[in-house]
Amino acid sequence: MAVKVLNPGLSTTVQDLGRPGYFHLGIPIGGAMDRLALRAANLLVGNDEGAAGLEAVFIGPHLEFTRDALIAVTGADMPIKLDGEEQPSWTALKVRAGQVLSFGFLQTGARIYIAIAGGIDVPIALGSRSTYPIGALGGFKGRAIAKDDELPVGSAAAGTEGRSIPKALRRRPGMPAELRVLPGLYWHRVTEESHRNFFDDQWKVAPEADRMGYRFRGGRPLQFVERDQPFGAGSDPSNIVDSCYPYGSIQVPGGTEPIILHRDAVSGGGYFMVGTVVSADMDLIGQLQPNTPTSFVKVDMDGALKARADRAALLDRIRSVFD
Amino acid sequence: MQNRYSFGGDEHLFVECDESMSLEAFFKSLSMTNAVRDSQIKGVTEICPANASFQIKFNPDIIRPDDMLREVQAIESAASKTDPVIATRIIEIPVFYQDPWTHETLMRFRERHQDPKATDLEYAARINNYSTVDDFIAAHAGSPWFVSMVGFVAGLPFMYQMVDRPRQIQVPKYLRPRTDTPKLTVGYGGCFSCIYSVRGAGGYQMFGITPMPIFDPEQKTSYLRDFMVFFRPGDIVKFKPIGREEYDHTVEDVAAGRFAPAISDVTFDLREFQKDIDGYNARLEGMINGR
């Protein structure tokens, strides 16, 4: 069975929960940017939470189904249509052979997740079906889907249509968006005044925002603590001897525009970092549109672990919908 | 030098062995990441060595961040008592310096360069006080290099020159990064050489190209069938200058599955190396293919 791509959207890729274990060789974990949304979509159609689905950013694809299927669309708000007729989001939908799934204009959020019962059955590469386009690895032929592709779908037991995730359990960034940050890494490289400004200022998502990283603008430039640059670091005060980059780490080249590295992060480089977005808030970044006002909120490790526990509790509540 | 520890959010422990790049800092990073791997701490999901630092990714649901920190600090005190010796491999990498493909690319991006009237090699030779490009190439290919980090993108090696600091080549990156770099370009930025594993954007100066693929997601290249990434942190590399003819032959041999990189297993001892760098390097090079 296959799903035929009539129109791929802007950039639609096969994603699951990623391929840990190869970052030391420059291959990032990848996988859905908004992992809660992918997990929820899979649960709705009766898949394993980590089954591969489609992640579409800003513009949805048009897909023709060659066989009856159970699907669900979660994540951003974007009208969902079957043969032109609007359908509920975060809900298991029955699709008949020959029907076409399409989407209206994006309203809020940035990325939708399309799960199909049985999962997208592309070959597993290094333990995952996620697409890593720079390395031409995983996904559908190592790239975003294109017109006339036929996506293989695994077999599935008959699922239940009509089940839905209650609105209260659909996590969304606020307005302004708030991202919790644990300061650290090379935080000591900037002055105390800049420490305060970084958290006081309101930033905006820049147009340069993708699966590798999200750039922000609008806050005051960071001032560096003076030093003689160490051997091998490069001449700019924002340079360091090339180091590893944590997922969620915030680098600020030249001290001006913070960049948060996301699931398809480069694994290292020569820019200092002021800290790291807590793991619990990584999903939210995947739903930020350019120009979204954003505040960074300072937390300590206890705050980071509390956020993590809250997110885990939310996932448990989503799971309990299906008990 | 004492490690500096910091958390990268709730899932990463970041450890800086030294602010400055040196073989000692790299060696400490490599031996500590080896020790962390051997200790099989529960909850560790990724162990990433870098040039003078390293990073451990862990699952805080399995090991609390403070416990993770204590485990790695305990390894630091144990590691300071062990011999600075690693088992690794030395690999000969053929390089076609001044090739037509990187030349075409660098000419296209001349306005992003510090010295638009010179080539990348002419510029690098001049600022490192070599009187000719050939002398500079002889220096680049004249000593072995440590793969001090694999990353940025899939399979890209950062390499650190195994000479004393006054002889170390240093070249700034392009003023503005290029939007294109040929696949397998041998590049240079700061004090690191690299090989671009895939085509794409890049800011390193371009010196030449190797005919030898180092990343193959389809795993069709004969020596990449077991694993798609060629380099590992800690590998020792020796560049071998080749001309157009040998380049073309090697490309054909790779395509036909006949090419096998020259690789030998070696033991590297940092103290012995520091006693006589040139003599130690000459012995290392002698071990390529058991020559």
Side-chain angles (χ1 to χ4, degrees):
Chain A
M1 136 86 181
V3 170
K4 195 174 169 201
V5 179
L6 304 182
N7 179 329
L10 183 65
S11 175
T12 302
T13 50
V14 176
Q15 301 292 348
D16 55 19
L17 296 177
R19 54 173 64 81
Y22 304 96
F23 209 33
H24 67 295
L25 301 173
I27 300 173
I29 190 164
M33 284 185 76
D34 182 351
R35 288 200 178 351
L36 270 185
L38 176 71
R39 285 177 186 270
N42 275 324
L43 284 165
L44 282 165
V45 299
N47 286 347
D48 285 342
E49 289 175 32
L54 293 172
E55 176 184 278
V57 59
F58 303 146
I59 298 173
H62 292 199
L63 304 172
E64 183 183 328
F65 286 76
T66 58
R67 172 187 89 178
D68 292 358
L70 190 68
I71 70 161
V73 182
T74 62
D77 284 326
M78 192 188 278
I80 303 161
K81 296 170 186 170
L82 273 177
D83 284 349
E85 198 173 312
E86 198 154 329
Q87 305 291 327
S89 62
W90 298 79
T91 300
L93 308 172
K94 185 89 185 159
V95 182
R96 290 185 312 280
Q99 279 194 306
V100 172
L101 173 70
S102 65
F103 296 88
F105 290 112
L106 177 67
Q107 289 159 357
T108 57
R111 287 174 174 80
I112 53 165
Y113 292 85
I114 306 167
I116 304 169
I120 306 283
D121 193 22
V122 294
I124 292 177
L126 299 181
S128 165
R129 294 185 169 90
S130 291
T131 315
Y132 174 50
I134 291 176
L137 183 70
F140 188 83
K141 299 183 176 172
R143 57 165 171 79
I145 62 169
K147 187 174 186 309
D148 296 334
D149 283 349
E150 292 190 8
L151 311 177
V153 174
S155 55
T160 318
E161 68 178 297
R163 289 198 298 193
S164 165
I165 308 272
K167 276 207 168 115
L169 303 186
R170 306 174 190 175
R171 190 169 174 227
R172 291 287 166 73
M175 182 63 81
E178 290 190 346
L179 300 176
R180 286 166 286 191
V181 171
L182 181 70
L185 305 171
Y186 292 85
W187 180 239
H188 58 281
R189 286 292 300 118
V190 294
T191 63
E192 283 184 18
E193 188 189 353
S194 287
H195 287 168
R196 287 190 298 273
N197 294 348
F198 180 76
F199 287 111
D200 287 347
D201 287 353
Q202 191 161 93
W203 301 82
K204 261 186 184 175
V205 178
E208 301 89 343
D210 59 22
R211 292 186 43 85
M212 289 177 77
Y214 258 62
R215 187 183 282 256
F216 293 82
R217 290 198 180 127
R220 282 166 281 187
L222 303 180
Q223 305 298 321
F224 290 89
V225 175
E226 280 198 39
R227 69 165 175 182
D228 291 330
Q229 281 296 95
F231 177 80
S235 53
D236 191 273
S238 68
N239 285 152
I240 56 169
V241 171
D242 292 49
S243 77
C244 297
Y245 287 155
Y247 296 106
S249 64
I250 307 170
Q251 55 182 267
V252 194
T256 55
E257 296 181 346
I259 299 169
I260 302 176
L261 293 183
H262 218 270
R263 313 286 188 201
D264 284 357
V266 293
S267 66
Y271 289 115
F272 93 112
M273 301 156 273
V274 293
T276 309
V277 173
V278 302
S279 62
D281 288 352
M282 290 291 279
D283 291 330
L284 298 178
I285 298 171
Q287 295 300 352
L288 298 181
Q289 295 178 5
N291 288 319
T292 305
T294 305
S295 294
F296 300 121
V297 178
K298 186 176 180 175
V299 294
D300 58 12
M301 184 59 89
D302 285 344
L305 293 175
K306 170 75 167 51
R308 187 181 178 88
D310 290 346
R311 181 185 176 278
L314 174 62
L315 179 56
D316 281 342
R317 288 171 66 201
I318 293 171
R319 286 174 180 146
S320 69
V321 170
F322 302 93
D323 286 347
Chain B
M1 67 203 150
Q2 197 74 20
N3 286 346
R4 184 175 69 79
Y5 292 86
S6 181
F7 286 107
D10 46 322
E11 293 186 338
H12 307 85
L13 178 62
F14 183 93
V15 187
E16 184 183 65
C17 300
D18 198 339
E19 275 195 333
S20 303
M21 184 58 197
S22 66
L23 270 179
E24 291 75 13
F26 159 66
F27 211 82
K28 187 170 183 192
S29 148
L30 186 68
S31 26
M32 278 209 62
T33 48
N34 286 341
V36 172
R37 192 172 299 110
D38 292 345
S39 70
Q40 299 190 329
I41 303 166
K42 264 200 182 147
V44 169
T45 58
E46 307 252 10
I47 301 170
C48 304
N51 299 303
S53 57
F54 64 94
Q55 172 176 303
I56 315 278
K57 187 164 191 271
F58 61 93
N59 181 344
D61 303 332
I62 297 175
I63 182 166
R64 302 232 0 137
D66 287 342
D67 293 334
M68 186 71 229
L69 175 63
R70 265 193 291 278
E71 294 267 8
V72 179
Q73 281 175 328
I75 287 169
E76 181 183 8
S77 45
S80 65
K81 294 179 194 92
T82 60
D83 293 340
V85 176
I86 52 162
T88 183
R89 51 184 195 163
I90 184 164
I91 305 145
E92 186 176 74
I93 304 288
V95 181
F96 181 13
Y97 291 93
Q98 297 185 280
D99 65 289
W101 304 283
T102 59
H103 184 78
E104 184 276 326
T105 308
L106 68 89
M107 293 310 287
R108 255 194 291 147
F109 292 99
R110 228 52 220 138
E111 85 289 353
R112 301 183 185 213
H113 195 273
Q114 291 84 351
D115 187 352
K117 293 203 176 73
T119 66
D120 292 9
L121 270 167
E122 287 164 354
Y123 169 71
R126 194 183 77 237
I127 66 166
N128 283 280
N129 300 315
Y130 289 92
S131 50
T132 66
V133 164
D134 287 346
D135 288 349
F136 179 80
I137 290 170
H140 189 261
S143 70
W145 300 71
F146 248 123
V147 174
S148 50
M149 181 168 171
V150 178
F152 185 62
V153 294
L156 182 152
F158 287 81
M159 291 165 285
Y160 187 66
Q161 202 177 8
M162 293 166 65
V163 294
D164 49 8
R165 194 172 282 184
R167 284 163 62 195
Q168 210 110 42
I169 297 167
Q170 287 197 76
V171 194
K173 297 169 192 169
Y174 271 47
L175 296 177
R176 284 186 295 131
R178 297 175 304 273
T179 53
D180 193 18
T181 310
K183 182 177 164 181
L184 298 177
T185 290
V186 175
Y188 213 99
C191 61
F192 298 104
S193 208
C194 81
I195 302 173
Y196 285 89
S197 51
V198 294
R199 185 178 175 180
Y204 276 30
Q205 308 279 340
M206 297 183 290
F207 292 169
I209 201 160
T210 175
M212 196 189 128
I214 59 169
F215 173 66
D216 178 6
E218 295 186 348
Q219 293 180 262
K220 286 181 178 156
T221 308
S222 56
Y223 54 89
L224 296 173
R225 276 193 196 124
D226 289 340
F227 194 63
M228 61 182 72
V229 172
F230 181 74
F231 283 108
R232 304 194 282 257
D235 281 343
I236 297 172
V237 165
K238 181 70 174 45
F239 296 116
K240 176 191 161 198
I242 58 169
R244 177 67 190 253
E245 206 174 324
E246 187 170 350
Y247 176 87
D248 289 343
H249 275 295
T250 308
V251 168
E252 279 171 32
D253 285 350
V254 167
R258 287 190 300 261
F259 179 78
I263 303 176
S264 291
D265 291 329
V266 292
T267 302
F268 179 84
D269 185 327
L270 185 64
R271 289 163 311 187
E272 291 301 312
F273 170 83
Q274 279 159 337
K275 279 184 208 160
D276 172 18
I277 293 178
D278 289 343
Y280 197 89
N281 284 346
R283 286 198 295 281
L284 275 177
E285 285 165 40
M287 295 176 78
I288 297 173
N289 264 354
R291 285 197 297 249

